[in-house]
Amino acid sequence: MTVNDDSFTNWMHREEIAESMIPLIGKLHRERDVTVLLHSRSLVNKSVVSILKTHRFARQIAGAELSVTETMPFLRALTTLDLGPSQIDLGMLAATYKADDRGLSVAEFTAEAVAGATGANKIERREPRDVVLYGFGRIGRLVARLLIEKAGSGNGLRLRAIVVRGGGAQDIVKRASLLRRDSIHGQFQGTITVDEDSSTIVANGNAIKVIYADDPSHVDYTEYGIRDAILIDNTGKWRDREGLSKHLRPGIEKVVLTAPGKGDVPNIVHGVNHDTVKPDEQILSCASCTTNAIVPPLKAMDDEYGVLRGHVETVHSFTNDQNLLDNYHKSERRGRSAPLNMVITETGAASAVAKALPDLKARITGSSIRVPVPDVSIAILNLQLAREATRAEVHDYLREVSLTSPLKRQIDFTTAPDAVSSDFIGSRHASIVDAGALKVEGDNAILYLWYDNEFGYSCQVVRVVQHVSGVEYPTYPATAV
């Protein structure tokens, strides 16, 4: 048999294993509210090829490809356990099992590693929490996709309604079409139908009421059967407590803003300060996409090396706020054609760091350049450290952070030498460390951080909503602190 024959036979064998993983992953998700991950990447509703590619990607961060032949025994072991709602990382199970020298079987090790989610220890499945989207733009539609995707077993978060201004004939049909197809993020994964008579979009079985209103004060959500909901304002029209309080109408319990909050509105970056949200806090912000991209790696670097000062330069994709062609804009430079120019503009991300990381004493400055790409940006974080380090040391540290730290859902890591911005469209991490571009000399470190400023940020928003809703389930094996 030739090498080619061996490779093809091996591929078909792995395909067969991946095919057999899909019903096990789906059953765990639907019946027990268990999300199966691989190095923080969900395997729920993934295709055979997607599962294989996710395993192969592990070589970029862990140094060696992870095979489905290694992870399948752990998945089988999970199906035999009395699991409660949780997230279970097969990649971490496989890695920690390799490092364990006690001679346990896969079944014994798995039962021990996820003991916190089994038997008397497991948490109860919670009733679905209603969610309302106020606005249905770029972030709103991506958050909608994520909420529909995560509806899963029917527990967790449930998108009940979308509030928009009336847009004339066939408005709901046009909005459903924008949800169905996206020029950057591709087709919606599932089916969408529209009932114009009842003003309802049905997406993967989720009935979503479209409510038309020009002002929050015009809506009584209880009329639509909505109770104790979390409203996500993705319009950015109101950013202070007084303005956002307008959303606290009958049926709405909390308001989450998808833009930097002003005044005393808490700016929350999931993974960094989400645990500081007070249970009775009704209004909070998820900060900006750039703040979410830089704060987790900034915290990681400060924890290990100390940061004396820093500067962030963001090279940011253009946004809907800019003009397609030169035209009037209240901000002079943003009035110039977005797809034809690099545009120097301001960023509030650096000043927002203080809200998310109040213990960081370093002064962080920032500036931004908008460039002619529609999605994915890069933040160049230039830091003066409290002690000297080597490039190899920082490289290995950040790779380990992306794999095993409490920030592993926020920080990803790539060693791909030919990586470019479009490679990171659809990334669910807040930022991705580009290992090849990393520079360290003495007490100076420069980190290049890619981030999908649309989808990655939307994932962070959903994580915050899950947390304040009480449906953010623990991850096993437990992350090292």
Side-chain angles (χ1 to χ4, degrees):
M1 184 177 286
T2 67
V3 172
N4 287 342
D5 289 337
D6 284 342
S7 297
F8 188 61
T9 300
N10 179 262
W11 170 260
M12 289 192 297
H13 176 59
R14 287 185 291 137
E15 265 192 327
E16 184 180 2
I17 294 174
E19 284 173 358
S20 62
M21 295 176 89
I22 291 173
L24 302 182
I25 294 167
K27 189 173 183 179
L28 284 170
H29 186 59
R30 286 189 305 275
E31 297 183 2
R32 307 188 199 179
D33 230 0
V34 173
T35 300
V36 178
L37 310 172
L38 190 83
H39 287 312
S40 300
R41 290 165 169 79
S42 174
L43 297 181
V44 176
N45 292 328
K46 294 297 185 288
S47 67
V48 169
V49 171
S50 180
I51 289 173
L52 292 174
K53 285 180 70 175
T54 304
H55 278 74
R56 181 164 173 76
F57 184 80
R59 70 192 174 95
Q60 291 205 28
I61 48 179
E65 183 173 343
L66 188 62
S67 173
V68 287
T69 59
E70 297 175 77
T71 57
M72 183 58 164
F74 295 97
L75 181 58
R76 287 200 185 100
L78 291 175
T79 64
T80 67
L81 300 174
D82 180 26
L83 288 166
S86 56
Q87 299 186 106
I88 300 178
D89 196 315
L90 295 181
M92 286 295 294
L93 277 174
T96 51
Y97 181 66
K98 279 185 180 179
D100 190 87
D101 59 1
R102 292 175 295 163
L104 299 177
S105 67
V106 167
E108 292 169 335
F109 181 84
T110 302
E112 179 183 277
V114 303
T118 60
N121 296 324
K122 68 181 182 181
I123 59 179
E124 292 301 316
R125 299 173 74 177
R126 300 191 173 99
E127 289 299 310
R129 186 68 177 270
D130 289 353
V131 178
V132 173
L133 288 176
Y134 198 95
F136 205 47
R138 297 297 304 157
I139 300 302
R141 292 194 296 274
L142 290 178
V143 169
R145 285 188 174 201
L146 285 164
L147 292 173
I148 294 163
E149 170 195 299
K150 293 178 182 298
S153 62
N155 293 274
L157 303 175
R158 181 172 59 170
L159 178 58
R160 295 293 308 281
I162 297 162
V163 184
V164 293
R165 290 178 293 181
Q170 289 200 306
D171 179 89
I172 190 171
V173 174
K174 293 172 182 176
R175 294 185 188 278
S177 183
L178 285 169
L179 179 62
R180 185 181 290 114
R181 303 178 188 88
D182 190 281
S183 300
I184 296 169
H185 301 283
Q187 298 272 349
F188 174 80
Q189 297 300 304
T191 63
I192 293 175
T193 58
V194 175
D195 185 337
E196 290 188 76
D197 293 336
S198 65
S199 191
T200 302
I201 296 173
V202 181
N204 289 359
N206 296 268
I208 306 161
K209 185 73 175 179
V210 178
I211 302 170
Y212 293 99
D214 293 327
D215 188 88
S217 62
H218 298 165
V219 188
D220 181 343
Y221 294 94
T222 59
E223 293 180 358
Y224 304 97
I226 295 170
R227 300 285 188 278
D228 302 323
I230 294 182
L231 182 144
I232 303 173
D233 182 332
N234 57 91
T235 67
K237 184 176 180 180
W238 304 278
R239 293 172 59 184
D240 59 13
R241 188 172 295 276
E242 180 182 1
L244 292 167
S245 293
K246 295 179 181 181
H247 290 303
L248 294 173
R249 302 281 299 151
I252 303 298
E253 183 182 0
K254 295 179 185 290
V255 179
V256 174
L257 171 67
T258 65
K262 294 183 177 181
D264 66 343
V265 174
N267 279 256
I268 304 302
V269 175
H270 191 275
V272 174
N273 68 336
H274 66 278
D275 56 354
T276 66
V277 179
K278 298 176 182 176
D280 60 350
E281 178 61 73
Q282 288 188 287
I283 296 173
L284 54 92
S285 155
C286 291
S288 71
C289 55
T290 302
T291 302
N292 276 266
I294 65 173
V295 165
L298 184 56
K299 174 178 171 27
M301 292 298 290
D302 188 51
D303 286 347
E304 181 67 16
Y305 301 101
V307 174
L308 300 181
R309 66 173 175 268
H311 177 81
V312 59
E313 187 80 35
T314 68
V315 182
H316 199 291
S317 59
F318 61 76
T319 66
N320 206 43
D321 164 69
Q322 295 171 258
N323 289 333
L324 186 62
L325 295 172
D326 290 0
N327 214 331
Y328 174 81
H329 194 290
K330 63 181 180 180
S331 173
E332 288 85 353
R333 294 188 203 253
R334 290 197 193 190
R336 303 297 298 278
S337 172
L340 297 178
N341 295 290
M342 294 189 291
V343 179
I344 297 173
T345 187
E346 70 283 346
T347 176
S351 58
V353 167
K355 274 194 169 185
L357 280 177
D359 293 336
L360 180 71
K361 305 306 178 187
R363 180 170 181 264
I364 306 295
T365 58
S367 53
S368 178
I369 303 173
R370 297 286 177 89
V371 294
V373 294
D375 188 32
V376 180
S377 305
I378 190 167
I380 305 167
L381 191 56
N382 194 330
L383 304 175
Q384 182 185 358
L385 307 178
R387 66 177 176 89
E388 293 191 352
T390 65
R391 184 185 184 282
E393 179 187 352
V394 175
H395 175 283
D396 291 347
Y397 169 67
L398 290 174
R399 182 176 65 182
E400 192 62 27
V401 165
S402 75
L403 285 170
T404 63
S405 83
L407 292 170
K408 65 183 180 179
R409 295 174 72 192
Q410 283 69 45
I411 301 175
D412 204 0
F413 190 89
T414 182
T415 58
D418 56 350
V420 294
S421 61
S422 61
D423 296 329
F424 303 103
I425 292 174
S427 169
R428 295 179 181 237
H429 288 77
S431 63
I432 305 101
V433 176
D434 192 312
L438 174 67
K439 292 176 173 55
V440 181
E441 186 173 343
D443 64 353
N444 178 243
I446 304 175
L447 279 58
Y448 288 75
L449 308 166
W450 298 102
Y451 58 108
D452 185 330
N453 48 278
E454 292 188 334
F455 196 73
Y457 175 68
S458 297
C459 290
Q460 283 286 89
V461 171
V462 171
R463 289 172 189 137
V464 170
V465 174
Q466 287 177 316
H467 177 72
V468 299
S469 301
V471 296
E472 183 179 36
Y473 299 133
T475 301
Y476 298 94
T479 301
V481 178

